Amino acid sequence: MPHASFKLLPGVDQNKTPALNEAAISNSQLIRFIPDRTLGGLVQKLGGWTKFFPDTIGSIVRCLWAWEDTNSNSYLAVGAEGIAAGGGQALEVINSGVETDITPQKVVSDATVDFSTTSGSSTVTIIDANFTVDRYDVVDIQTQVSVGGLVLFGQYQVTPIGSTSYSIEARDKLGDFALATSTVANGGAVSQYDTTSGSNTIDVTLANHGYVIGDTFTALVATSVGGITIYGNYIVIDVASSSVFSIAVSSQASSTATADQNAGDAHFVYLNGVGPLASGTGYGVGGYGVGGYGSGSAPDPDLGTPINAVDWTLDNWGEILIACPYGGPIYYWSPAGGAEIALAIANAPSVNEGMFVAMPQRQIIAWGSTFTGIIDPLLIRWCDVNNYDSWIPLITNQAGSYRIPKGSRIVQCIQGPQQGLIWTDLGVWAMQYAGPPYVYQFNEIGNGCGLIGRKAAGSMNGVIYWMGQSQFFRLAGGGVEPIRCPIWDVIFQDLDTANLDKIRIAPNSRFGEITWYYPTNSNGGEVSHYVKYNVILNEWDYGELGRTAWINESVLGPPIGAAPNQYIYQHETSTDADGSPMVSSFQTGYFVMTEADVKMFIDQIWPDMKWGYYGGVQDANIKLTFYVTDYPGETPLAYGPYTLTQSVKFITPRFRGRLVSIKIESEDIGTFWRLGNIRYRFQQDGKF
């Protein structure tokens, strides 16, 4: 009887039918391909994983970042979904097996306007009985407050005075100290709105407002007046005096009315910092009345509520961690700084959709940023070189901004080789450092190749890869090009389009693989499946496994991924799935045993595998199943599974038919396998 070899084409093809996908793999689970000089690629079991940290994080992890300080201590920053009031660990740092919760805190306060100024001074004293600050706090004043010739609005670093009072320094648009023109004690006022029935023009009263026609007035606290809710950015259309200007809204007022913004109260958001207290500042030590009388101690600061976050972007500024919750401020945390939690960068934009630290000059690049407190989805801002607290562009620094002119929103930005890369919903832009005066040059390098989700793009070995709305792309020396995807059906026909921002790209430079983890329509909106691209072989495979965050090879070693079960795992560290069997398998399309009107009979199979690691125990147990049929559309007959080990010389399945599909799988502990040259014996066995 003649013999033949069972040799497979590398890669998985799900777009073809099983009958069309002859001598190739149609279905896969937890496998990979290793380059081979004759066959192109050999299929083997995927590398396993073990817990990086023994406990769950407490909520689903959305971002990971590894870095090292100047003392060679390695850290893993963990950005997770926050937990509602009552405590959550949205931002953590793991070092040498110890977990530290550094989740930023905030407090929201509506208080009577009680500001004091001194003529010729930039110092403004604020009284708020709702909260006791310390020197690590930043206050975001979200109602514009007029007092002493100044208008205070935005973020300020605070200086504590007493248990209910603190001071800030007023600054102008250029960042210089703004000096009060009059002395005011315990005064100030928020904006007042006046509507006229049937008109869409609203008069705003705000003393010494400083607006001119064409400026933007921002209302961050929604206020209803005359049947209209005022919230957002509005263009100033008329200026009646230094105290009154007009804005236009989209609808007409239903009545003539007057209302103060936020019912006349100031609206404060305290970005609360927790750190070691300042040295004694009581009577005779600091200013009169600062601290307890004769106690030499600062007032005890109040604690805030840990922030909630749906996602994070993380990076490091040398040894300092930089963190930005989606839609929030930018925070920093230094291992040597002594602060218990991440602290807000006072002069950074108050809301951002993400950030990264750019090279060659060290600058934070924020996108989906703001000048007003309301996100501009196409705005990019960056800080000065080597100063993450300087964001106002001046001729003496390199801070700046740019608004992408095309698209609806920026989806993601990353630092790529020699340039920053910006994806909108429509295309991709390059951001190249050019130095003063423009600092960065922006050019569109691809159109019609926008990004599908805010963590779906990444870099490996100098090449950029990303997932578009219905295609995969890469950016290399030749520009943007689509990637052939023979498993297109698997992902794009089952993708949960309501949760696209949960897609995660996962480079693995050890094996030249780029994986995208994604949610499907049948798995409750969480990441559960993956597709994997081997950039060396230009081949794909897929399977079921969820990873909600990922980092490639780093100072912490092999890749690290977070799972929906809230554990963090280090990959390529085991043959198993964290001590449990890894169910690894693949199934071929149909081999056509004969093109004629006869059936073929197969009575003997000779297994050939790598049964373990090189130099290790060769003890893998493989299950082999045959699915035999005469027509592609009919239900096949299963023969097996047959258990194969290194000691098995051959098996005798004894089946006859015209089409056969082969499935190989394993589920034992502590083993490895790679497919070799399986041979079979066959003969013609009658007419069909």
Side-chain angles (χ1 to χ4, degrees):
M1 296 174 64
H3 296 76
S5 295
F6 167 53
K7 295 180 180 178
L8 292 176
L9 298 174
V12 178
D13 196 325
Q14 225 334 289
N15 295 346
K16 293 179 179 178
T17 65
L20 184 60
N21 197 34
E22 184 180 2
I25 298 174
S26 292
N27 302 303
S28 62
Q29 170 69 3
L30 301 179
I31 63 168
R32 66 164 38 113
F33 295 93
I34 294 296
D36 176 73
R37 62 180 181 178
T38 57
L39 298 177
L42 301 176
V43 59
Q44 68 179 41
K45 181 180 178 180
L46 188 69
W49 53 90
T50 53
K51 288 188 181 71
F52 177 82
F53 184 70
D55 302 322
T56 60
I57 297 302
S59 56
I60 294 178
V61 176
R62 296 298 180 192
C63 190
L64 296 169
W65 186 262
W67 86 103
E68 189 174 77
D69 67 14
T70 54
N71 293 317
S72 299
N73 297 309
S74 298
Y75 300 85
L76 179 68
V78 180
E81 290 186 349
I83 301 174
Q89 297 182 348
L91 184 62
E92 303 173 46
V93 171
I94 298 173
N95 168 242
S96 299
V98 177
E99 173 190 32
T100 303
D101 181 11
I102 62 167
T103 304
Q105 298 178 0
K106 75 175 182 179
V107 173
V108 178
S109 172
D110 291 294
T112 301
V113 179
D114 195 338
F115 289 45
S116 298
T117 60
T118 300
S119 180
S121 172
S122 63
T123 301
V124 179
T125 300
I126 300 174
I127 294 177
D128 181 1
N130 297 328
F131 185 65
T132 299
V133 304
D134 67 18
R135 64 188 179 93
Y136 297 95
D137 294 344
V138 171
V139 61
D140 186 2
I141 304 174
Q142 295 194 350
T143 46
Q144 300 192 40
V145 175
S146 175
V147 60
L150 303 171
V151 174
L152 301 168
F153 182 65
Q155 292 186 171
Y156 300 87
Q157 189 72 47
V158 308
T159 300
I161 298 176
S163 62
T164 62
S165 61
Y166 58 91
S167 67
I168 62 174
E169 297 297 327
R171 295 184 180 271
D172 60 21
K173 293 180 179 179
L174 296 179
D176 296 325
F177 290 115
L179 307 180
T181 58
S182 63
T183 298
V184 174
N186 309 108
V190 299
S191 303
Q192 176 183 287
Y193 304 132
D194 291 283
T195 61
T196 300
S197 181
S199 173
N200 68 340
T201 298
I202 296 177
D203 293 330
V204 182
T205 300
L206 184 68
N208 302 293
H209 56 73
Y211 288 113
V212 297
I213 294 174
D215 281 352
T216 299
F217 168 75
T218 302
L220 293 181
V221 179
T223 303
S224 296
V225 55
I228 294 173
T229 298
I230 301 173
Y231 175 80
N233 291 326
Y234 299 92
I235 301 300
V236 175
I237 61 172
D238 186 46
V239 177
S241 69
S242 62
S243 297
V244 180
F245 60 93
S246 300
I247 59 175
V249 296
S250 59
S251 58
Q252 296 180 345
S254 59
S255 64
T256 299
T258 298
D260 292 328
Q261 186 182 29
N262 198 37
D265 287 340
H267 185 75
F268 303 112
V269 176
Y270 295 100
L271 307 177
N272 187 42
V274 178
L277 290 174
S279 59
T281 53
Y283 179 78
V285 179
Y288 180 83
V290 178
Y293 180 84
S295 67
S297 61
D300 287 335
D302 289 340
L303 296 178
T305 300
I307 67 169
N308 292 319
V310 297
D311 205 346
W312 293 81
T313 46
L314 304 170
D315 210 323
N316 64 288
W317 183 284
E319 70 173 5
I320 298 172
L321 174 68
I322 305 294
C324 179
Y326 180 77
I330 301 175
Y331 297 89
Y332 70 98
W333 180 80
S334 171
E340 295 184 18
I341 64 174
L343 307 177
I345 300 176
N347 294 312
S350 59
V351 288
N352 309 271
E353 293 189 340
M355 65 81 214
F356 69 93
V357 176
M359 61 180 196
Q361 303 289 350
R362 187 165 60 174
Q363 296 169 281
I364 296 177
I365 312 295
W367 73 87
S369 193
T370 187
F371 283 106
T372 65
I374 291 179
I375 283 177
D376 182 338
L378 287 170
L379 177 65
I380 292 176
R381 292 186 63 186
W382 59 88
C383 70
D384 190 14
V385 172
N386 288 325
N387 186 352
Y388 57 66
D389 201 33
S390 176
W391 290 78
I392 297 176
L394 302 171
I395 60 172
T396 56
N397 68 24
Q398 295 190 48
S401 66
Y402 182 79
R403 193 175 193 275
I404 300 297
K406 294 173 63 176
S408 300
R409 67 186 183 103
I410 296 171
V411 184
Q412 184 184 1
C413 300
I414 67 170
Q415 177 62 54
Q418 309 301 319
Q419 60 188 353
L421 291 165
I422 303 157
W423 283 268
T424 69
D425 52 333
L426 298 181
V428 60
W429 292 66
M431 176 181 179
Q432 296 177 318
Y433 180 75
Y438 301 109
V439 187
Y440 286 96
Q441 294 179 339
F442 294 82
N443 294 287
E444 186 181 37
I445 56 176
N447 192 18
C449 55
L451 193 65
I452 195 169
R454 57 177 174 254
K455 295 287 182 70
S459 173
M460 186 177 73
N461 299 331
V463 181
I464 310 299
Y465 302 88
W466 70 95
M467 180 179 172
Q469 284 85 355
S470 61
Q471 185 61 276
F472 293 94
F473 299 92
R474 65 182 158 217
L475 173 64
V480 176
E481 58 185 26
I483 302 174
R484 175 188 65 87
C485 184
I487 55 173
W488 189 95
D489 293 356
V490 170
I491 182 167
F492 288 108
Q493 292 183 355
D494 193 29
L495 182 62
D496 180 359
T497 56
N499 289 282
L500 297 177
D501 283 329
K502 294 180 180 178
I503 297 171
R504 292 295 183 268
I505 192 171
N508 185 348
S509 56
R510 288 195 169 200
F511 291 91
E513 297 168 342
I514 299 286
T515 302
W516 284 268
Y517 294 97
Y518 64 97
T520 66
N521 289 315
S522 58
N523 279 276
E526 194 46 78
V527 175
S528 58
H529 287 62
Y530 72 89
V531 292
K532 178 154 54 70
Y533 176 55
N534 187 306
V535 304
I536 302 170
L537 297 172
N538 197 29
E539 298 292 350
W540 294 76
D541 63 86
Y542 71 95
E544 293 187 30
L545 183 68
R547 291 293 180 262
T548 60
W550 184 273
I551 54 171
N552 195 4
E553 188 97 6
S554 69
V555 295
L556 295 171
I560 298 174
N565 63 6
Q566 303 176 15
Y567 281 104
I568 297 174
Y569 298 103
Q570 189 148 35
H571 285 247
E572 312 302 342
T573 57
S574 168
T575 56
D576 307 314
D578 190 40
S580 298
M582 180 192 295
V583 181
S584 181
S585 67
F586 69 87
Q587 185 172 342
T588 69
Y590 282 122
F591 286 84
V592 179
M593 293 187 286
T594 175
E595 297 286 358
D597 57 348
V598 296
K599 292 190 177 186
M600 302 299 290
F601 174 71
I602 294 179
D603 73 333
Q604 196 173 96
I605 304 291
W606 305 350
D608 179 50
M609 311 279 288
K610 289 274 191 177
W611 303 97
Y613 286 135
Y614 176 80
V617 179
Q618 306 296 303
D619 60 349
N621 282 266
I622 307 299
K623 294 181 179 180
L624 176 63
T625 305
F626 302 94
Y627 297 91
V628 183
T629 186
D630 291 324
Y631 294 98
E634 69 180 6
T635 301
L637 295 175
Y639 293 80
Y642 299 93
T643 299
L644 307 180
T645 64
Q646 187 184 34
S647 63
V648 174
K649 294 182 179 180
F650 61 87
I651 59 172
T652 54
R654 300 182 63 82
F655 59 81
R656 63 192 296 269
R658 295 198 300 175
L659 303 173
V660 61
S661 171
I662 300 171
K663 181 177 183 179
I664 289 179
E665 58 188 324
S666 67
E667 56 182 14
D668 50 344
I669 289 281
T671 65
F672 167 80
W673 57 263
R674 180 185 296 149
L675 185 65
N677 184 24
I678 295 178
R679 299 178 67 84
Y680 59 94
R681 187 170 69 179
F682 68 98
Q683 69 175 17
Q684 182 175 319
D685 191 37
K687 288 185 173 291
F688 174 73

